[in-house]
């Protein structure tokens, strides 16, 4: 399996909203899933996932799991030092990540806090949210996706992989701009470990860690320069990042577009399994919002 498949969302993964195409450049890391929009994956259709124990089945009880609201679990857990809080709404600093977290069952007060935190007319990214938005809010785009978890990944270090740091951010941003695996901001590097592969001194492939619920770490920003695709670099980096996560006693997971069947097949071949469908979207705050009740 080559590394042409990454967690990039293509145009087919994004619904048209208000007559425009929310392409990867508009926020390619948003992931969500609607049953009608899932293509056949291998011998299985991801739309067969349901909301019962098979979907939440890591605990086997159907009770909420930390991966059901991974941004909230991250910002109240290992990433709490990043959290900017308004009432029951949490978000990352805007130069770290666009993700914010609503409570599992947001009430009118939570939506008011979100509006006050973001500001009138702002566009906010809602992670793992499948409910309706209040009257006056506008859904600006919605992306179909799936969540996969480690189920026997052959994690291993890679001798060519190097750890990336703040000094590498300009090169990282250049590679991200050319490959569009999703948002990567000036301080995203602080969210976890990022590994890269260089050829003749140039950064040509990378992968790293994003959301960090307790006991779990998301693999993200998997991308390869088009000039070196087909050499297995993304696969090697996924396994290397997974190795580092395992070394900490945690479990890797990731998201990808529901229609990115090449990526899903790649991840399944590496030992990930489909866990659940999730709705990730962006919404615009009304120009006039109710007063926050923090």
């Amino acid at each position: 399996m080559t590394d042409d498949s990454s967690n990039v969302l293509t145009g087919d993964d994004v619904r048209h909203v208000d007559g425009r195409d929310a392409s990867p450049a508009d926020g390619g890391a948003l992931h969500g899933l609607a049953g009608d929009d899932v293509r056949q994956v291998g011998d299985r259709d991801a739309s067969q996932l349901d909301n019962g124990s098979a979907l939440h089945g890591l605990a086997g009880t159907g009770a909420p799991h930390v991966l059901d609201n991974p941004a909230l679990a991250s910002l109240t857990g290992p990433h709490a030092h990043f959290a900017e809080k308004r009432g029951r709404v949490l978000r990352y600093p805007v130069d770290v990540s666009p993700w914010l977290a609503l409570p599992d069952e947001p009430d009118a007060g939570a939506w008011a806090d979100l509006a006050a935190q973001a500001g009138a007319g702002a566009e906010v990214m809602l992670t793992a949210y499948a409910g309706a938005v209040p009257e006056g809010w506008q859904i600006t785009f919605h992306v179909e996706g799936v969540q996969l978890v480690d189920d026997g990944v052959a994690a291993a270090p890679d001798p060519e992989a190097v750890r990336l740091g703040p000094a590498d951010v300009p090169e990282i941003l250049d590679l991200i701009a050319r490959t569009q695996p999703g948002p990567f901001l000036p301080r995203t590097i602080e969210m976890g470990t990022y590994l890269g592969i260089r050829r003749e001194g140039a950064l040509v492939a990378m992968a790293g860690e994003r959301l960090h619920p307790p006991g779990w770490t998301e693999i993200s920003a998997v991308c390869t320069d088009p000039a070196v695709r087909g050499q297995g670099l993304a696969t090697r980096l996924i396994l290397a990042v997974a190795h580092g996560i395992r070394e900490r006693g945690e479990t890797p997971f990731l998201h990808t577009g529901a229609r990115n069947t090449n990526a899903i097949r790649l991840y399944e071949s590496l030992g990930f399994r489909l866990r659940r469908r999730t709705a990730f979207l962006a919404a615009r705050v009304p120009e006039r919002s109710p007063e926050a009740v923090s």
Side-chain angles (χ1 to χ4, degrees):
M1 181 78 67
T2 69
D3 64 67
D4 294 338
S5 308
S6 73
N7 61 346
V8 177
L9 300 183
T10 66
D12 286 342
D13 298 315
V14 186
R15 291 183 176 177
H16 292 265
V17 179
D18 299 329
R20 66 188 185 90
D21 182 2
S23 65
D26 295 318
L30 290 176
H31 308 283
L33 176 65
D36 292 341
D37 297 313
V38 184
R39 293 180 181 173
Q40 196 76 17
V41 180
D43 296 327
R44 300 184 292 134
D45 185 341
S47 65
Q48 293 172 358
L49 290 170
D50 58 34
N51 291 318
S53 59
L55 195 143
H56 299 284
L58 297 175
T61 64
H65 188 277
V66 291
L67 295 188
D68 296 343
N69 194 343
L72 180 63
S74 298
L75 287 167
T76 55
H79 280 176
H81 60 287
F82 287 122
E84 297 180 351
K85 184 176 182 180
R86 176 84 183 213
R88 297 168 63 206
V89 177
L90 300 173
R91 73 176 180 186
Y92 286 92
V94 295
D95 57 351
V96 173
S97 173
W99 303 123
L100 59 84
L102 287 168
D104 290 332
E105 297 182 0
D107 56 16
W111 286 102
D113 284 330
L114 174 54
Q117 184 187 58
E123 189 174 49
V124 296
M125 293 187 179
L126 306 177
T127 62
Y129 181 70
V133 299
E135 182 178 358
W137 290 69
Q138 176 191 13
I139 296 177
T140 54
F141 59 92
H142 178 251
V143 185
E144 315 307 322
V146 289
Q147 182 184 81
L148 301 97
V149 296
D150 178 3
D151 190 30
V153 173
D158 190 279
E160 197 177 2
V162 295
R163 182 159 185 170
L164 304 175
D168 300 299
V169 167
E171 265 194 293
I172 292 172
L173 294 176
D174 179 69
L175 181 61
I176 293 290
R178 288 184 283 113
T179 57
Q180 297 187 347
F184 195 101
L185 302 170
R187 294 178 56 208
T188 301
I189 194 81
E190 298 175 22
M191 296 182 76
T193 299
Y194 285 83
L195 301 179
I197 290 177
R198 295 182 176 278
R199 293 289 165 83
E200 298 181 356
L203 182 66
V204 297
M206 64 172 285
E209 302 172 357
R210 188 169 59 180
L211 296 178
H212 193 175
W216 300 80
T217 301
E218 180 190 25
I219 297 176
S220 185
V222 182
C223 55
T224 306
D225 188 299
V228 295
R229 286 182 179 166
Q231 299 179 24
L233 302 186
T235 295
R236 289 165 51 190
L237 286 170
I238 291 168
L239 297 179
V241 173
H243 174 76
I245 295 168
R246 290 256 199 88
E247 286 289 291
R248 297 197 301 265
E250 298 179 340
T251 304
F253 74 104
L254 50 80
H255 296 97
T256 193
R259 295 186 178 225
N260 196 345
T261 53
N262 287 338
I264 295 172
R265 291 191 186 102
L266 169 63
Y267 295 143
E268 290 189 316
S269 75
L270 296 179
F272 290 92
R273 66 170 173 83
L274 287 166
R275 176 179 179 266
R276 74 183 301 251
R277 58 188 179 217
T278 182
F280 285 45
L281 53 88
R284 192 172 304 284
V285 179
E287 289 296 336
R288 297 184 64 183
S289 301
E291 184 179 352
V293 291
S294 302

